[in-house]
Amino acid sequence: MYDPSPADKFTFGLWTVGNVGRDPFGEPVRAALSPAEIVRLLAEVGAWGVNFHDNDLVPIDASADERERIIRDFRAALDATGLVVPMATTNLFTDPAFKDGAFTSNDARVRAYALQKTMRAIDLGVELGAKTYVFWGGREGVETDAAKSPSESIKRFREAINFLCDYARDQRYDLRFALEPKPNEPRGDLYFATVGAMLGFIGTLEHPEMVGVNPEMAHEQMAGLNFLHAVAQAWEAGKLFHIDLNDQVIGRFDQDLRFGSHNIKSAFFLVKYLEDVGYDGSRHFDAHAYRTEDAAGVKDFARGCMRTYLILKEKAQRFNADPEIQALLAELNAVDDSVAPHLGPYSAERAAALKAAHFDRQALGARGYGYERLDQLAVEIVLGVR
Ligand code: GLT
Ligand code: MN
Ligand code: MN
């Protein structure tokens, strides 16, 4: 019942199950896997697709021959397993050239190189089937505001995204861009820190229709925000092009924990929302196994992400089918005949009637909403006793 199937659209990046467990204080603890090995691992655990950065697949210094061999092996593994590549992205953060960012670097040569690298990576992604192209800023930010004008950085980022939209259109690629915000890490402050910031920015682009967002659960949580609310705003704006699922303890370093491993209640309401609205894109787990894990632990991690999603999906169905919960919600949202005429689109008549209406303010303030009972019922569903 909780086994993943292709219809669930579960995906992982090469960098997620391929994470070797390096951190700022310690060396790798797991052997690096080749892209083809990662594809086979993902197929074994039941994932639907695999995503990659250009350099997860082809090392930045690979020769033309190496590049060809790696892509051939990767393609063969995809063909053999049936895994698809729904999304691709560019690594604009690992190489020292990008230490001051990519599209927002103060060095014009870096900005030009970043555009070149991204065009090549887009070609590679499209060649392997990607329909969504993610832009995570990586190092688009600062440690000190003495370094850059934030509005100049916004302009530079806009110019880059406009350029790349036109490039994709010129190539007749069937591709949409998804911008991924993050508030901090690896730099002190990153530009476009939240989903809301990205949504505002998209409206200023030349081709806003081909650009949406890739919200990541941990990134909004790092900013202390409610991830569900960010996702809902993106969805409601028609901009939820992709999603990165994982988990995070607020106030800690960038953890990229297994989905549902910490904020289980937030994960529940998120899964419920995605399923209720009919989001039909990838469910991408952008996370990695604890550094304590070996190869078997990595599979436990990947299986756990998908299993938890499916368990929560079943809990969401229970919530929706629960007569007591649904009766409470219906009662809360009831609009009685005395109020109904007052609500709705503006008209001069409605405004005049509303201005003349009498409201019993004391009674409004005195009522209880019953959210304690409702929330307890939701918690009992999540805890499995209801
Ligand atoms: C990196 C980052 C993620 C981004 C990936 C795409 S790379 O792992 O932490 O949030 O989604 O660039
Ligand atoms: Mn991410
Ligand atoms: Mn992350």
Side-chain angles (χ1 to χ4, degrees):
M1 177 172 190
Y2 303 128
D3 288 340
S5 78
D8 298 315
K9 295 196 174 172
F10 291 138
T11 65
F12 291 82
L14 285 180
W15 68 93
T16 64
V17 287
N19 182 291
V20 292
R22 182 186 289 109
D23 74 12
F25 305 94
E27 299 296 344
V29 293
R30 292 183 286 266
L33 301 173
S34 73
E37 285 171 325
I38 296 175
V39 168
R40 288 191 285 271
L41 182 160
L42 289 176
E44 184 190 332
V45 298
W48 168 67
V50 59
N51 308 315
F52 61 83
H53 298 85
D54 50 354
N55 305 137
D56 299 336
L57 188 58
V58 182
I60 196 161
D61 289 322
S63 67
D65 284 356
E66 277 165 350
R67 184 179 191 279
E68 210 180 301
R69 181 187 51 77
I70 292 167
I71 295 175
R72 197 186 335 110
D73 291 353
F74 183 64
R75 221 188 253 287
L78 293 173
D79 291 344
T81 56
L83 248 74
V84 295
V85 174
M87 177 271 260
T89 183
T90 328
N91 185 324
L92 295 172
F93 44 89
T94 298
D95 195 84
F98 299 119
K99 62 191 172 190
D100 188 37
F103 303 141
T104 65
S105 169
N106 265 338
D107 189 327
R109 295 167 303 174
V110 174
R111 299 202 298 276
Y113 172 54
L115 281 176
Q116 180 203 61
K117 190 173 193 288
T118 304
M119 285 191 288
R120 291 179 177 171
I122 287 176
D123 295 344
L124 176 64
V126 169
E127 185 189 327
L128 287 157
K131 296 271 191 290
T132 305
Y133 203 83
V134 163
F135 291 82
W136 172 58
R139 295 184 190 274
E140 310 290 16
V142 287
E143 283 71 42
T144 166
D145 287 320
K148 297 178 195 179
S149 145
S151 55
E152 188 57 29
S153 296
I154 292 168
K155 289 189 175 74
R156 286 173 176 170
F157 196 75
R158 180 185 298 120
E159 193 176 274
I161 298 295
N162 282 338
F163 183 99
L164 294 164
C165 281
D166 276 329
Y167 174 72
R169 288 160 56 89
D170 248 6
Q171 303 301 309
R172 305 247 179 286
Y173 287 156
D174 175 17
L175 194 65
R176 299 198 299 179
F177 290 177
L179 310 182
E180 178 179 344
K182 187 174 182 182
N184 55 271
E185 281 202 57
R187 301 199 73 179
D189 289 288
L190 301 175
Y191 297 125
F192 309 105
T194 62
V195 171
M198 281 300 188
L199 289 171
F201 170 73
I202 289 169
T204 72
L205 294 170
E206 273 164 21
H207 294 288
E209 71 288 347
M210 69 179 283
V211 185
V213 289
N214 177 36
E216 174 171 318
M217 191 155 191
H219 295 178
E220 299 298 294
Q221 289 167 334
M222 285 171 76
L225 299 175
N226 181 316
F227 184 60
L228 172 61
H229 295 189
V231 167
Q233 194 186 354
W235 173 262
E236 208 270 336
K239 292 298 185 191
L240 188 63
F241 288 7
H242 200 265
I243 193 164
D244 279 1
L245 303 172
N246 55 8
D247 214 342
Q248 171 75 31
V249 185
I250 293 180
R252 302 284 164 85
F253 60 95
D254 179 7
Q255 294 174 300
D256 289 332
L257 296 169
R258 190 179 78 255
F259 179 62
S261 59
H262 186 72
N263 298 293
I264 189 71
K265 194 173 164 190
S266 303
F268 165 71
F269 284 115
L270 176 72
V271 170
K272 177 171 143 46
Y273 183 84
L274 294 176
E275 297 300 321
D276 284 353
V277 298
Y279 168 75
D280 72 349
S282 296
R283 276 89 171 144
H284 175 229
F285 298 105
D286 186 8
H288 50 76
Y290 303 141
R291 192 163 176 273
T292 48
E293 302 311 289
D294 60 8
V298 170
K299 290 180 197 170
D300 292 337
F301 148 80
R303 289 195 175 101
C305 287
M306 297 184 283
R307 187 173 164 83
T308 296
Y309 187 101
L310 292 172
I311 294 169
L312 293 175
K313 181 175 166 181
E314 192 254 336
K315 302 286 180 205
Q317 286 157 1
R318 265 175 196 276
F319 183 100
N320 290 342
D322 190 298
E324 197 176 339
I325 290 175
Q326 293 311 314
L328 286 172
L329 288 171
E331 197 186 315
L332 280 161
N333 288 286
V335 182
D336 81 32
D337 292 346
S338 69
V339 188
H342 290 316
L343 294 171
Y346 176 85
S347 71
E349 297 69 35
R350 180 168 279 143
L354 188 49
K355 278 175 99 174
H358 169 74
F359 291 96
D360 182 350
R361 186 169 48 81
Q362 266 83 19
L364 296 182
R367 78 163 280 197
Y369 281 78
Y371 292 167
E372 287 289 359
R373 192 167 143 217
L374 184 58
D375 184 72
Q376 180 65 24
L377 294 172
V379 166
E380 292 192 11
I381 289 211
V382 175
L383 292 177
V385 296
R386 191 170 173 88

